[in-house]
Amino acid sequence: MAKIIDGKAIAAQIKEEVKAGVAEFAKQGITVTLAVIQVGEDPASCVYVRNKKRTCTELGIRSLAYEIPEQTSEEELLSLVEELNGREDVDGILVQLPLPAHISEKKVIAAIDPKKDVDGFHPYNVGALSTGEKGFLPGTPAGIIQLLKRSGIDIDGKECVVIGRSNIVGKPMAQLLLKENGTVTIAHSHTKNLPEVTRRADILIVAIGQRKMITKEFVKAGAVVIDVGMHRDENNKLCGDVDYADVFETAGAITPVPGGVGPMTIAMLMHNCLESVRLRLS
């Protein structure tokens, strides 16, 4: 039977650490500030932005909200980003994705000052991760590393399989596992004999975007299974890419959905906001 990796509890630890760091800066007269830009009213984005603002308030981080209409032009958005880049009282800039179709996500991400790119998506920060330089790490992969470490799971020398190759999760996840001396395989939609590949994994990270796709046939006995997916099942309950009930008896440890990876993403975003101030002052 699997040990449940409690993302809520670990995220709470990290948020307490961030709160203490923010309070220390406040004593020096420094207010940690995050600017959040949301274009349009995508329902999922509204939920994410609301959660981010609430977490900022909990931790003593000042949040500046820019909720702008869907019709906003690319030029107007880039101009706002440029203005925030130049403001000394803004430490982190986050542009909520997805953006409307008429705005280039690539252009907008590239326009953010890498030192304020708390999402870790700017090409500079992506390159820094690849070469082992200092930079911001994307929240979800960085959060997964914290989940593993704070659960006493050693990555060094382990067979790690990441299912998914997105720029936001799959690729940076593989890089971070390599950095921790894992032996890493990236699997994806073109991988042949996927169950055969995933059954080699001591640590299996699933970010494939298909509801309950991973069953016990994909999992080696005793493996650690990290589920990045977020869907609704046939009963409208939240579920992940992993069939939790089916895999639970086979896995050695597993993240639930909800309450696993999800809470870590916002916790690591807040950690990055604090780091942006430390980097600026160093």
Side-chain angles (χ1 to χ4, degrees):
M1 197 191 312
K3 168 190 170 186
I4 297 169
I5 298 173
D6 188 344
K8 278 186 185 172
I10 295 170
Q13 284 173 16
I14 291 167
K15 287 195 283 191
E16 280 304 312
E17 290 162 15
V18 172
K19 190 175 182 178
V22 170
E24 279 302 310
F25 278 128
K27 287 177 192 170
Q28 301 168 43
I30 298 165
T31 304
V32 181
T33 301
L34 172 67
V36 180
I37 303 170
Q38 181 184 352
V39 186
E41 294 179 2
D42 175 77
S45 291
C46 288
V47 172
Y48 292 142
V49 168
R50 193 162 61 241
N51 287 343
K52 284 164 187 169
K53 288 196 287 194
R54 188 180 68 236
T55 307
C56 281
T57 303
E58 284 171 15
L59 305 187
I61 295 171
R62 180 174 70 133
S63 72
L64 305 175
Y66 295 87
E67 286 151 14
I68 56 182
E70 190 158 348
Q71 312 85 269
T72 300
S73 70
E74 185 175 277
E75 290 70 26
E76 287 171 312
L77 179 54
L78 290 170
S79 173
L80 173 57
V81 169
E82 196 54 45
E83 178 199 324
L84 295 169
N85 281 343
R87 280 179 59 171
E88 286 187 11
D89 66 329
V90 172
D91 302 297
I93 301 169
L94 185 150
V95 179
Q96 183 64 44
L97 304 179
L99 290 169
H102 66 280
I103 298 175
S104 163
E105 286 185 5
K106 271 189 178 179
K107 269 192 195 174
V108 173
I109 290 165
I112 297 169
D113 181 342
K115 291 175 185 165
K116 297 188 179 189
D117 167 43
V118 288
D119 256 338
F121 296 162
H122 190 283
Y124 174 89
N125 286 318
V126 173
L129 171 58
S130 296
T131 56
E133 301 297 319
K134 270 191 177 180
F136 289 114
L137 303 174
T140 301
I144 290 167
I145 294 293
Q146 288 299 317
L147 277 180
L148 294 170
K149 286 184 169 182
R150 292 177 188 236
S151 300
I153 295 161
D154 190 21
I155 302 166
D156 196 310
K158 298 285 176 63
E159 285 275 352
C160 306
V161 176
V162 180
I163 314 180
R165 52 179 167 177
S166 73
N167 291 333
I168 291 173
V169 180
K171 289 177 190 172
M173 189 73 252
Q175 296 276 6
L176 286 173
L177 290 165
L178 274 175
K179 191 178 175 188
E180 297 294 332
N181 299 317
T183 301
V184 184
T185 301
I186 301 177
H188 45 77
S189 56
H190 289 243
T191 300
K192 302 280 189 273
N193 304 318
L194 183 61
E196 201 177 293
V197 173
T198 58
R199 278 197 303 270
R200 297 202 306 259
D202 302 308
I203 299 171
L204 177 62
I205 295 172
V206 187
I208 204 165
Q210 292 188 39
R211 185 178 75 179
K212 294 187 180 181
M213 179 184 158
I214 300 304
T215 57
K216 63 187 177 188
E217 287 74 26
F218 290 79
V219 179
K220 178 168 83 172
V224 176
V225 180
I226 306 288
D227 189 352
V228 184
M230 182 71 81
H231 313 277
R232 294 271 174 188
D233 67 11
E234 55 282 358
N235 302 313
N236 204 35
K237 285 188 175 175
L238 286 171
C239 67
D241 291 351
V242 175
D243 188 331
Y244 184 85
D246 192 57
V247 168
F248 190 78
E249 296 297 325
T250 303
I254 191 168
T255 56
V257 177
V261 172
M264 296 298 293
T265 303
I266 289 185
M268 296 311 293
L269 170 67
M270 299 298 137
H271 167 81
N272 281 353
C273 289
L274 183 62
E275 278 301 299
S276 66
V277 182
R278 288 180 177 147
L279 288 169
R280 176 163 59 81
L281 298 177
S282 63

